[in-house]
Amino acid sequence: MRMRRKKHREERYEACIELAIESFDDVKSLKDIFDNDNPIHMEIGCGKGRFMQKLAALNPDINYIAIEKNMDVIIMAMEKIKQAGLCNVKFFAGDVDILREKDFDGQIERIYINFCDPWKKSGQAKRRLTHKNYLSLYEKLLGQNGEVFFKTDNQKLFEFSLNSFADYPVKMQNITLDLHASKYEGNIMTEYEENFSSQGMPIYRCELIFNI
């Protein structure tokens, strides 16, 4: 179901404008966005921002860039961060593909991909965020031993992703077919994850290491 356009969307976005990256055009280094030398992590598809809010609060010495294409959704995420008084998160309302055109090579240490669109039709495989075309983008952005943390509730997407990872020069680790039944510690749940897990649905998770 498509989310209805939020009332006063533009006004709400402007109220959080200090958290926004409106364009990368004049950005020479991602660290310039934060005016410090702290490491930078990125979430692709931040949704309503619950995951990012908790993650950023736990790690004040890490900077986060949260990317989300849906303007109505990203506004809710920005409002959460502003209300929490966090200064280590910036948001970009757009497509991560724009970073292919930028010279930000090796400037990200970790990327989070949580419950992305599975693009279920076979002809849509290239749109999946775990397709090799996106892996090449992550490789460009990540520095030595850069990481991708991936979670999904979709078994077929997870199977596709593992095959995609196996065909790419990355190391896979901490693979689990049922995250909440595993011994993994420190998991932060998204809104989707809480809903899925409450219904007894397994959560699939995998970590990648690039440029090893």
Side-chain angles (χ1 to χ4, degrees), residues 135 146-149 165 170-173 206-210:
L135 296 181
E147 301 170 316
V148 172
F149 286 8
F165 303 156
V170 296
K171 176 183 176 182
M172 288 185 278
Q173 64 183 22
C206 180
E207 297 175 7
L208 306 180
I209 302 179
F210 283 74

Side-chain angles (χ1 to χ4, degrees), residues 172-190:
M172 288 185 278
Q173 64 183 22
N174 293 329
I175 301 171
T176 176
L177 304 181
D178 192 345
L179 175 60
H180 295 174
S182 73
K183 296 181 180 180
Y184 181 80
E185 297 180 356
N187 181 53
I188 297 175
M189 288 200 290
T190 71

Side-chain angles (χ1 to χ4, degrees), residues 35 37 44 118:
D35 296 321
D37 289 326
I44 302 174

Side-chain angles (χ1 to χ4, degrees), residues 192-207:
Y192 281 114
E193 185 173 352
E194 184 173 281
N195 180 41
F196 296 146
S197 60
S198 68
Q199 299 176 48
M201 300 171 63
I203 304 301
Y204 307 92
R205 185 181 183 277
C206 180
E207 297 175 7

Side-chain angles (χ1 to χ4, degrees), residues 133-151:
N133 289 349
Y134 281 99
L135 296 181
S136 66
L137 172 58
Y138 309 151
E139 183 177 27
K140 167 183 166 68
L141 294 173
L142 291 168
Q144 188 73 22
N145 296 321
E147 301 170 316
V148 172
F149 286 8
F150 171 60
K151 286 195 292 188

